[in-house]
Amino acid sequence: MKLTRKLVLAKAKASDLESVKKLNCWGCSLTDISILSQMPNIKVLTLSVNSIASLAPLSGCMSLCELYLRRNMIPSLSELSHLRLLTHLRVLWLAENPCCGTESAKYRLTVLRCLPRLQRLDNQVVTEDEIALAMMEGEVVTTPPVSVQTQLSTNGLPEAETENDPHNYNMEETNKIREELGMKPLSRDKFPSLSSPSTRETRSLIKKTHTLDAILLLLNDLNEEELRIVHTAAQNRLQTYTLDPETLTESLQGKPVHELYLSGIKEGTSSF
């Protein structure tokens, strides 16, 4: 299973990936954590009891302090090379992975030689004597070979593009917002394939839909005074659609639109 943006934001209760500081994905059957490469500010990450085999996506998580990886499928300690530059990493739980082997002492010294800044490994405090011994007896961890992910999604796009496809993430998120607001969900039939000649029109339609959803959602954060301002501005904006051409010309003659808005507010024409 792939760790998606949607799942991350739901579990972290965040609005965007960069704001995520803590994430708990214990026991989620994960195999692909590539999305973590877009989360540079994460500090505490729990990925225990999954099926993760590569730590490459973590190489850019420069703020990471605690990493829990117990009971995964890490095949070799060479994967730790991806964590070398994480200077804030102090806690690592790696036990019960294939890379741990059967010689626990040798395994621990090798991990500490690669990551000498650790203060706790597998729920045990790291001592200065251990670090000194690891520098002498721990094995050197080499960088694993680069694996190129060539798997394509069903529509022929790379996975990264598929995740950002409005037919997938954006459509689902839009309908969630619309449901919260008591609005009817959008039909996928409304949006033709992005690979069709009407791509530009499709993107424009999606943008307008998302703009409306965003405005409606933001109304929940406004107080009474701010709502009145929005209400008055909306009323004045609607006049451009409801007034007959002659009346509209007289109303707008010599007066900028923003002044129309302000005059409506000052006159107190809005009511709830």
Side-chain angles (χ1 to χ4, degrees), residues 18-81:
E18 290 191 356
S19 65
V20 176
K21 302 291 181 62
K22 294 182 179 181
L23 180 64
N24 187 342
C25 289
W26 189 98
C28 292
S29 303
L30 298 176
T31 56
D32 185 343
I33 57 172
S34 55
I35 190 72
L36 293 173
S37 62
Q38 302 175 40
M39 300 166 59
N41 298 316
I42 191 160
K43 293 184 176 182
V44 180
L45 181 58
T46 301
L47 296 171
S48 297
V49 194
N50 284 289
S51 299
I52 299 165
S54 174
L55 301 182
L58 300 177
S59 60
C61 299
M62 305 307 293
S63 299
L64 194 61
C65 300
E66 300 180 23
L67 177 59
Y68 302 92
L69 289 164
R70 185 175 62 88
R71 288 182 59 186
N72 272 279
M73 300 297 292
I74 310 298
S76 168
L77 290 178
S78 62
E79 289 294 325
L80 295 179
S81 63

Side-chain angles (χ1 to χ4, degrees), residues 64-69 77 80 83-84 86-94 107-132 134-135:
L64 194 61
C65 300
E66 300 180 23
L67 177 59
Y68 302 92
L69 289 164
L77 290 178
L80 295 179
L83 308 180
R84 275 195 179 115
L86 308 186
T87 56
H88 296 286
L89 186 62
R90 296 293 181 268
V91 177
L92 174 64
W93 198 333
L94 192 63
Y107 146 77
R108 188 173 175 87
L109 292 177
T110 299
V111 173
L112 293 178
R113 177 167 182 170
C114 180
L115 304 171
R117 297 184 184 88
L118 289 180
Q119 297 176 352
R120 183 177 290 271
L121 174 60
D122 296 338
N123 206 31
Q124 294 183 16
V125 175
V126 175
T127 65
E128 292 183 3
D129 291 341
E130 272 189 300
I131 297 297
M135 293 304 167

Side-chain angles (χ1 to χ4, degrees), residues 7-271:
L7 181 59
V8 170
L9 297 183
K11 284 187 168 292
K13 297 180 180 179
S15 58
D16 58 86
L17 295 177
E18 290 191 356
S19 65
V20 176
K21 302 291 181 62
K22 294 182 179 181
L23 180 64
N24 187 342
C25 289
W26 189 98
C28 292
S29 303
L30 298 176
T31 56
D32 185 343
I33 57 172
S34 55
I35 190 72
L36 293 173
S37 62
Q38 302 175 40
M39 300 166 59
N41 298 316
I42 191 160
K43 293 184 176 182
V44 180
L45 181 58
T46 301
L47 296 171
S48 297
V49 194
N50 284 289
S51 299
I52 299 165
S54 174
L55 301 182
L58 300 177
S59 60
C61 299
M62 305 307 293
S63 299
L64 194 61
C65 300
E66 300 180 23
L67 177 59
Y68 302 92
L69 289 164
R70 185 175 62 88
R71 288 182 59 186
N72 272 279
M73 300 297 292
I74 310 298
S76 168
L77 290 178
S78 62
E79 289 294 325
L80 295 179
S81 63
H82 297 299
L83 308 180
R84 275 195 179 115
L85 298 180
L86 308 186
T87 56
H88 296 286
L89 186 62
R90 296 293 181 268
V91 177
L92 174 64
W93 198 333
L94 192 63
E96 299 178 69
N97 273 276
C99 65
C100 299
T102 55
E103 300 181 38
S104 59
K106 182 179 179 181
Y107 146 77
R108 188 173 175 87
L109 292 177
T110 299
V111 173
L112 293 178
R113 177 167 182 170
C114 180
L115 304 171
R117 297 184 184 88
L118 289 180
Q119 297 176 352
R120 183 177 290 271
L121 174 60
D122 296 338
N123 206 31
Q124 294 183 16
V125 175
V126 175
T127 65
E128 292 183 3
D129 291 341
E130 272 189 300
I131 297 297
L133 185 61
M135 293 304 167
M136 294 186 293
E137 299 186 10
E139 294 186 0
V140 176
V141 172
T142 58
T143 304
V146 178
S147 59
V148 180
Q149 187 172 0
T150 58
Q151 183 180 5
L152 299 179
S153 61
T154 53
N155 64 355
L157 294 173
E159 288 187 355
E161 294 182 27
T162 303
E163 188 174 336
N164 294 324
D165 192 331
H167 287 271
N168 295 314
Y169 167 72
N170 286 340
M171 178 67 77
E172 293 174 5
E173 290 300 300
T174 295
N175 282 337
K176 268 191 175 182
I177 294 173
R178 293 178 75 88
E179 183 179 354
E180 291 177 5
L181 296 170
M183 302 170 66
K184 292 181 179 179
L186 295 174
S187 170
R188 287 179 180 271
D189 297 335
K190 188 174 181 180
F191 301 101
S193 171
L194 291 179
S195 60
S196 68
S198 58
T199 298
R200 185 175 299 176
E201 290 79 3
T202 299
R203 292 189 183 279
S204 176
L205 181 57
I206 292 174
K207 182 178 180 181
K208 288 181 180 179
T209 302
H210 288 174
T211 300
L212 174 61
D213 294 337
I215 291 172
L216 293 174
L217 197 59
L218 287 171
L219 290 178
N220 296 327
D221 297 328
L222 302 182
N223 59 32
E224 183 179 356
E225 181 181 356
E226 292 167 337
L227 285 170
R228 290 183 183 278
I229 293 174
V230 172
H231 181 60
T232 301
Q235 281 186 323
N236 288 320
R237 174 66 175 153
L238 280 172
Q239 288 181 6
T240 64
Y241 296 98
T242 58
L243 291 179
D244 61 86
E246 292 184 3
T247 305
L248 180 60
T249 301
E250 293 177 2
S251 299
L252 294 178
Q253 190 171 13
K255 184 179 291 187
V257 175
H258 73 275
E259 287 187 12
L260 266 177
Y261 288 358
L262 291 175
S263 63
I265 295 171
K266 290 177 180 178
E267 293 169 8
T269 56
S270 63
S271 60

